[in-house]
Amino acid sequence: AQTVTQSQPEMSVQEAETVTLSCTYDTSESDYYLFWYKQPPSRQMILVIRQEAYKQQNATENRFSVNFQKAAKSFSLKISDSQLGDAAMYFCAYRWTGNQFYFGTGTSLTVIP
Amino acid sequence: DTGVSQDPRHKITKRGQNVTFRCDPISEHNRLYWYRQTLGQGPEFLTYFQNEAQLEKSRLLSDRFSAERPKGSFSTLEIQRTEQGDSAMYLCASSSGSNGYTFGSGTRLTVV
């Protein structure tokens, strides 16, 4: 069974600093996709970054980057130069070649001015 | 068409009543998904449509739940004889392939 674990219910970071959110997952598949979603208080989930498991290169999107360790089944999100607008709940998600996503329980990120 | 639209945003209903939610996906997306999110949890998969065909249903989708996508465009999710445990945010998402979903803002259901 596929499971996604986010072991940090809450994290905080000073504005302009860097923070890393952790995610581990369990799967027996070799080809899959991993995602980080952001859910601000308005509740609409927004895609932050996406990683294909077959790609060795870590995905980056502006201030957001991932550290994908396939053997360790780890997929952490690094947010550089944190901004007040980054404050939100962050969900790690896994998708195999099926159609459903498996989400973790989320990490609530607070950005301190 | 700027995104996935869900209606209503909030719904308060009495236990035992039926409720229906609507989702309008991005027009060019042929895949539509329903998820349920309870407080402090990540979204949990309920069901998936490709065009008008309902291809997957979660065990979470009890007999009281039914979803339709009659013409492969908008979808409805109906909950019959609501229970307090049905209180949650119901999220709709759409996609056109292996990319990430585009989510709607959700419908928050409160059963009193």
Side-chain angles (χ1 to χ4, degrees):
Chain A
Q2 290 86 358
T3 59
V4 178
T5 302
Q6 293 180 251
S7 58
Q8 305 156 315
E10 297 178 344
M11 292 283 286
S12 62
V13 62
Q14 292 280 351
E15 195 176 2
E17 296 296 310
T18 296
V19 65
T20 299
L21 308 184
S22 301
C23 172
T24 58
Y25 57 94
D26 185 27
T27 183
S28 57
E29 304 299 329
S30 59
D31 191 15
Y32 49 86
Y33 302 88
L34 296 164
F35 304 82
W36 279 97
Y37 278 88
K38 170 185 177 182
Q39 190 174 41
S42 68
R43 305 293 288 188
Q44 183 165 16
M45 304 268 284
I46 302 166
L47 177 64
V48 174
I49 200 164
R50 170 179 179 262
Q51 173 82 43
E52 294 93 336
Y54 66 86
K55 289 187 177 179
Q56 293 185 334
Q57 186 173 6
N58 289 325
T60 62
E61 287 288 343
N62 301 314
R63 298 182 294 107
F64 299 88
S65 61
V66 298
N67 183 4
F68 173 47
Q69 302 290 328
K70 191 172 183 179
K73 297 180 183 176
S74 171
F75 184 61
S76 61
L77 175 70
K78 185 171 80 171
I79 306 174
S80 303
D81 185 25
S82 297
Q83 300 175 359
L84 295 177
D86 294 334
M89 185 72 83
Y90 286 81
F91 290 97
C92 177
Y94 162 97
R95 178 185 177 186
W96 180 42
T97 54
N99 290 290
Q100 65 171 288
F101 279 34
Y102 297 88
F103 286 88
T105 52
T107 297
S108 178
L109 178 66
T110 300
V111 180
I112 302 167
Chain B
D1 190 331
T2 58
V4 178
S5 177
Q6 291 189 248
D7 183 70
R9 290 294 303 275
H10 304 276
K11 178 71 176 179
I12 300 174
T13 190
K14 292 184 178 180
R15 186 164 50 94
Q17 296 294 304
N18 300 343
V19 294
T20 300
F21 311 141
R22 177 179 170 122
C23 172
D24 287 90
I26 292 174
S27 57
E28 58 265 31
H29 286 180
N30 62 345
R31 301 179 183 185
L32 185 147
Y33 310 81
W34 285 99
Y35 280 76
R36 181 173 71 185
Q37 186 178 20
T38 53
L39 198 61
Q41 299 295 318
E44 296 174 295
F45 173 78
L46 292 178
T47 191
Y48 153 68
F49 289 86
Q50 183 159 325
N51 300 312
E52 66 275 11
Q54 188 174 20
L55 298 184
E56 287 184 47
K57 290 173 61 174
S58 164
R59 290 170 295 177
L60 294 175
L61 213 65
S62 75
D63 291 344
R64 297 184 296 106
F65 287 70
S66 63
E68 294 183 344
R69 194 182 183 197
K71 296 183 180 180
S73 56
F74 74 92
S75 175
T76 58
L77 177 68
E78 180 183 16
I79 309 174
Q80 296 181 328
R81 305 180 303 282
T82 52
E83 302 172 356
Q84 286 190 322
D86 297 332
S87 295
M89 177 75 81
Y90 289 84
L91 296 170
C92 177
S94 68
S95 76
S96 59
S98 60
N99 293 327
Y101 296 160
T102 300
F103 280 90
S105 296
T107 293
R108 177 167 293 286
L109 173 66
T110 302
V111 181
V112 298

